[in-house]
Structures are given as C-alpha cells and as structure tokens.
C-alpha cells in the first residue's frame, strides 16, 4: 500500500510512483490490450488467478494509478474509475443490489442521480424509498425494509447545498446492517472525509472539482473496506457466494477487503463497460495535482459572493453553508471544517423572470450546464435542467422556481462580484 502523506502531497504525487528511469509524469497507456508470453498466463488472468492487465474495458494502468490517488485522498482500501459520475453511482449501488432489492435515497441528491436510483433502477426491479435528509431518526428507521441493501446520500447536495447528517445516516444504516454510500463530489476529500464519519463507500463525479477545468467527464468509486459483507452474507450473495461467471470464486474469500471493488471491476465493468478513457484519466490526474490549492480559493470566493448577495435588496434569499445564518452552518463546521465548496444558491425578488434576466446580463459568469470548475458559471434549474416541471413540481423536488445555482470559479473575487453587481443594476 502507499505511504501516508498529507492530503496536499497526495494530490501532487499520489498514485503513479515512478521507479528508476521511468517517466516523472504519469504515462497514458493508450492501448486496448496487453501482451503475454503464453496462453496459460492469459488464461490465469481470465480466471482471476493472477492479477494483471489484459483488456482496457476491465482495467488500464493509467486509470488505476489515478484511482489509487483518489483512494488515498479518501483514505480507502480500493478504488476504480468510471466513465462518468452517473456510471459510478450506478455501479456503486448495482454491485450490491439485484432485482428484489430496496434502497433508501436522500431526496436532495442531484437530479440525474435521483432519476437513476428511483426511476431507472426501478425498471430493473430495484425499489427505493426517498427520504428527506433532515428527517427524524424515527422516520429514517421506518424507511428500512427486510430487503434494504444500501442507503444513498450526498455529503453536500447539488444544488440545495444541504450538509449530510453523517452521524444519523451512518448509525441508522449500520444498525440495520447495510452500508452507507455517499456521493462526495461537491466538497471533495480536500474538504470532507466521509469514511471518518462512518460512510462505507464513496462516489464521485470527477467531472467537477477533481478535473476542475471542465475538460473530461468521469467518475470514481472508493471502498473504505469497513463494511463486513460476510456478517450479512445472505444479503450480499454477489460478494459472499460463488460467482458462476468466474468458475465459482467467492469475492470476499479471495479478495478480502478488496472484494467490493474487485467484483465491480471483474463483473460490472466486464459486462457493462463504462470505463474511463486513459486520456481522460491523464487529464483528471493533472486536475487532482492542484485540487488542494483550488478548493480553498473556490470557498473563499463563494463566501465573499454569498456575503455580498446577503446584503443586496434585490436578493430574496441566499443559501451557502459558510454563512453564519445558514441552516447548515453548524453541521458544515463539524463535517467540513475547512469549507464546503464554491457553489451557492440564491433567489431574486421577482422570482423566475427576474432570475432569467439577471443571468442574461452576466458577462464574466457564463450560462452553462456545468458546475464546480475553475470558471464561474451559473444555471437556472427551472429554465434548464428541470425545465419540463411546473412550479408546483419544482417545489416538491426541493428546487425553488427562482433558485439560481451560482458556481464560483477561481478568478479574482472582485471581478466576480463586479459582474454580479452590474447584472443586478441592470434588472
Ligand atoms: C454531476 C454530478 C453527478 C453526475 O456526474 P456526471 O459526471 O455528470 O455523470 C453525480 N453527482 C453529483 C453530486 C454531481 O454533481
């Protein structure tokens, strides 16, 4: 395993550790396939008897070095890259669920994840119960069923910026003998370490801050190694009973703490094939090298913009956990003591139409379907990602019709505020 360095050093030098005469920079293994000397050697790989690369749909060295870096940043035991954040969340759940299973999903998760977990998985026979992340402990306990196999939530919700009550969720999940899966995309491991607070599996859309420059779509799954699948062997037969597609191997027996990620790679990636391209993994790695420098700047800028907006008459409300008045302020101090992220949400007096006019007047902040990268950007869910919904439906989904999602980049904060100011002046 890797030596233990601080998070900053791991951002820069984690993963690829060149030996004598090897390239200092992570190489891109732009190859679909890998060479062996004998048929027997390759056969052993297919039986999972030996570890080694044979086909990039399953594994690629460039990807694995980057996954190792993210694994070390999160403090996990094993990790894998996926082609997108959506694929990461799909695999994270599907790896331990099958038709007939049930999952508990926080209502504040990202819209794409919500569709995946409550709509698309339902078509595959996996049922879900959606709960308000701020529900009482009793309400949370009541959501569990005999066939519940996982609890899914975001550490910092996109776009409502709700901070997860890790204690409540981890305790409830573990008392019912199921793992807690946490999407840690928004704070990144620089600002939040879900495993320390009881999460068992972490997922990421690396498309956001990790890549950081809006260059490549990608995802990652990290396993803490803490959940004991064998204690609940009957619930997780995919991990604890023979896999007929590999001559009957049992993942927990053969791979120990690496069982969950090995199964996701050897079985789900083999059959469903959402691998990240090595080229994109290389770009992701370059982004990770400055993640520890960018996150504090994103937070600093967002804090200043949130404070500025709070004082403007045109603004109806602002949501940013860094504001002392925010309902998640105390919880953020506990779980994300160094800050949350660069995204904030606010509403303007006058609602939907004024929001649209405000955004059209912005010059530096661009209207894009993206969030959490180096350039300041803005999105109005009611006009864009949630366009087909009525105002009533939007409220039910927890997205106010006037909600503007503002993602502060790492530009000069004076320039960002000046842009907001001139757009407000022009309403
Ligand atoms: C963007 C996002 C996703 C989906 O990731 P893609 O890389 O776009 O597939 C999942 N979760 C959160 C919190 C996100 O912000």
């Amino acid at each position: 395993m890797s030596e233990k360095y601080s998070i900053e050093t791991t951002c820069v030098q984690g993963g690829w550790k060149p030996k004598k005469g090897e390239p200092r920079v992570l190489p891109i293994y732009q190859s679909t396939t890998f060479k062996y000397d004998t048929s027997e050697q390759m056969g052993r790989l297919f039986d999972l008897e030996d570890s080694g690369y044979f086909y990039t749909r399953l594994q690629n060295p460039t990807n694995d070095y980057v996954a190792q870096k993210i694994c070390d940043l999160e403090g996990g035991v094993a990790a894998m890259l996926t082609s997108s954040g959506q694929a990461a969340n799909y695999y994270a759940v599907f790896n331990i669920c099958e038709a007939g299973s049930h999952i508990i999903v926080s209502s504040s998760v990202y819209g794409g994840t919500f569709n995946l977990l409550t709509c698309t998985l339902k078509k595959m026979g996996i049922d879900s119960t959606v709960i308000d992340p701020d529900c009482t402990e009793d309400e949370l306990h009541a959501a569990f069923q005999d066939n519940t196999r996982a609890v899914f939530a975001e550490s910092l919700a996109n776009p409502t910026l709700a901070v997860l009550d890790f204690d409540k969720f981890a305790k409830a999940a573990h008392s019912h003998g199921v793992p807690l899966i946490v999407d840690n995309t928004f704070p990144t491991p620089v600002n939040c370490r879900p495993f320390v607070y009881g999460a068992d599996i972490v997922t990421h859309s690396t498309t956001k801050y990790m890549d950081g420059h809006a260059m490549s779509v990608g995802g990652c799954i990290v396993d803490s190694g803490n959940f004991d699948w064998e204690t609940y062997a009957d619930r997780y037969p995919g991990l604890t009973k023979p896999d007929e597609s590999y001559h009957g191997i049992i993942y927990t027996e053969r791979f120990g703490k690496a069982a969950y990620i090995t199964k996701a790679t050897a079985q789900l990636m083999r059959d469903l094939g959402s691998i990240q391209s090595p080229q994109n993994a290389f770009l992701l790695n370059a982004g990770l090298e400055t993640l520890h420098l960018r996150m504090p700047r994103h937070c600093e800028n967002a804090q200043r913009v949130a404070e500025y907006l709070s004082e403007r008459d045109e603004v109806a409300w602002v949501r940013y956990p860094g504001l002392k008045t925010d309902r998640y302020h105390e919880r953020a101090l506990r779980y994300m003591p160094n800050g949350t992220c660069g995204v904030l949400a606010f509403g303007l007096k006058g609602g939907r139409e004024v929001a649209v006019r405000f955004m059209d007047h912005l010059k530096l902040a661009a209207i894009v379907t993206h969030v959490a990268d180096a350039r300041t950007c803005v999105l109005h869910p009611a006009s864009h990602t949630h366009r087909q919904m009525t105002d009533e439906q939007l409220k039910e989904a927890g997205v106010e019709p006037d909600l503007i999602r503002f993602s502060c980049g790492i530009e000069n904060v004076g320039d960002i505020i000046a842009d907001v100011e001139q757009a407000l002046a022009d309403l």
Side-chain angles (χ1 to χ4, degrees), residues 84-87 89 110 113 154 156 158 183 185-186 205-208 217-218 371:
S84 67
Q86 288 297 107
N89 285 334
Y110 165 73
T113 309
E154 287 173 6
L156 182 61
N158 172 11
D183 182 331
T185 297
F186 264 22
S205 166
T206 62
T207 316
K208 315 295 168 51
V217 174
V371 66

Side-chain angles (χ1 to χ4, degrees), residues 70-380:
I70 297 173
C71 186
D72 290 347
L73 289 173
E74 288 287 5
V77 296
M80 70 194 287
L81 296 190
T82 58
S83 56
S84 67
Q86 288 297 107
N89 285 334
Y90 173 37
Y91 283 17
V93 170
F94 196 58
N95 202 34
I96 48 173
C97 288
E98 58 192 28
S101 303
H102 168 262
I103 54 173
I104 294 173
V105 181
S106 157
S107 61
S108 66
V109 297
Y110 165 73
T113 309
F114 191 82
N115 285 336
L116 165 68
L117 299 182
T118 65
C119 254
T120 300
L121 285 189
K122 196 177 177 70
K123 293 175 190 162
M124 302 167 83
I126 298 167
D127 246 326
S128 54
T129 298
V130 175
I131 43 117
D132 180 339
D134 292 316
C135 65
T136 65
E137 277 180 38
D138 288 346
E139 286 166 335
L140 185 50
H141 282 295
F144 285 84
Q145 306 177 2
D146 288 345
N147 58 343
T148 302
R149 295 293 174 264
V151 177
F152 190 102
E154 287 173 6
S155 51
L156 182 61
N158 172 11
T160 64
L161 301 166
V163 177
L164 183 67
D165 187 340
F166 280 91
D167 245 18
K168 182 178 75 185
F169 269 72
K171 278 193 190 128
H174 296 156
S175 75
H176 289 272
V178 306
L180 172 62
I181 305 177
V182 171
D183 182 331
N184 196 33
T185 297
F186 264 22
T188 82
V190 170
N191 281 342
C192 182
R193 309 287 300 283
F195 293 155
V196 174
Y197 308 126
D200 300 286
I201 290 148
V202 157
T203 62
H204 284 280
S205 166
T206 62
T207 316
K208 315 295 168 51
Y209 289 116
M210 284 191 169
D211 171 277
H213 303 81
M215 291 192 294
S216 6
V217 174
C220 185
I221 308 172
V222 189
D223 180 13
S224 67
N226 292 336
F227 193 82
D228 188 358
W229 310 105
E230 282 180 333
T231 301
Y232 307 101
D234 290 344
R235 289 189 193 155
Y236 302 104
L239 286 160
T240 60
K241 303 267 151 50
D243 179 354
E244 296 313 328
S245 71
Y246 277 113
H247 309 308
I249 66 155
I250 296 174
Y251 290 98
T252 45
E253 259 178 23
R254 179 75 67 83
F255 301 103
K257 286 202 178 291
Y260 174 90
I261 291 293
T262 304
K263 174 179 179 285
T265 303
Q267 198 184 74
L268 299 189
M269 202 55 100
R270 178 196 64 186
D271 298 349
L272 303 171
S274 305
I275 194 92
Q276 188 164 136
S277 84
Q279 184 83 42
N280 281 359
F282 175 85
L283 293 170
L284 168 58
N285 188 56
L288 287 167
E289 289 182 6
T290 58
L291 183 66
H292 61 300
L293 297 176
R294 289 182 285 107
M295 287 311 291
R297 182 63 173 262
H298 280 293
C299 291
E300 239 172 77
N301 285 359
Q303 183 72 29
R304 290 275 304 279
V305 172
E307 285 167 5
Y308 169 82
L309 287 169
S310 317
E311 282 165 14
R312 291 290 304 213
D313 284 343
E314 301 91 333
V315 175
W317 56 270
V318 185
R319 220 176 285 148
Y320 187 64
L323 293 175
K324 287 198 176 61
T325 51
D326 192 85
R327 70 179 285 202
Y328 295 108
H329 185 66
E330 293 300 319
R331 201 181 287 164
L333 287 179
R334 173 160 179 210
Y335 293 119
M336 303 165 194
N338 300 324
T340 53
C341 74
V343 183
L344 55 102
F346 66 98
L348 292 173
K349 290 176 187 160
R352 193 192 270 258
E353 289 97 78
V354 177
V356 169
R357 236 180 303 142
F358 165 79
M359 288 175 46
D360 288 349
H361 289 151
L362 288 167
K363 296 188 170 108
L364 184 71
I367 300 171
V368 295
T369 305
H370 202 255
V371 66
D373 75 81
R375 300 165 202 86
T376 296
C377 62
V378 67
L379 184 93
H380 181 224

Side-chain angles (χ1 to χ4, degrees), residues 1-4 10-11 13-17 26 53 60-81 220-222 261 284-285 288:
M1 291 274 9
S2 344
E3 294 123 288
K4 288 276 169 275
T10 305
C11 278
Q13 293 213 24
W16 170 246
K17 306 256 171 54
L26 169 69
Y53 296 97
N60 174 282
T62 305
N63 291 16
D64 281 354
Y65 288 117
V66 181
Q68 184 60 54
K69 177 182 281 193
I70 297 173
C71 186
D72 290 347
L73 289 173
E74 288 287 5
V77 296
M80 70 194 287
L81 296 190
C220 185
I221 308 172
V222 189
I261 291 293
L284 168 58
N285 188 56
L288 287 167

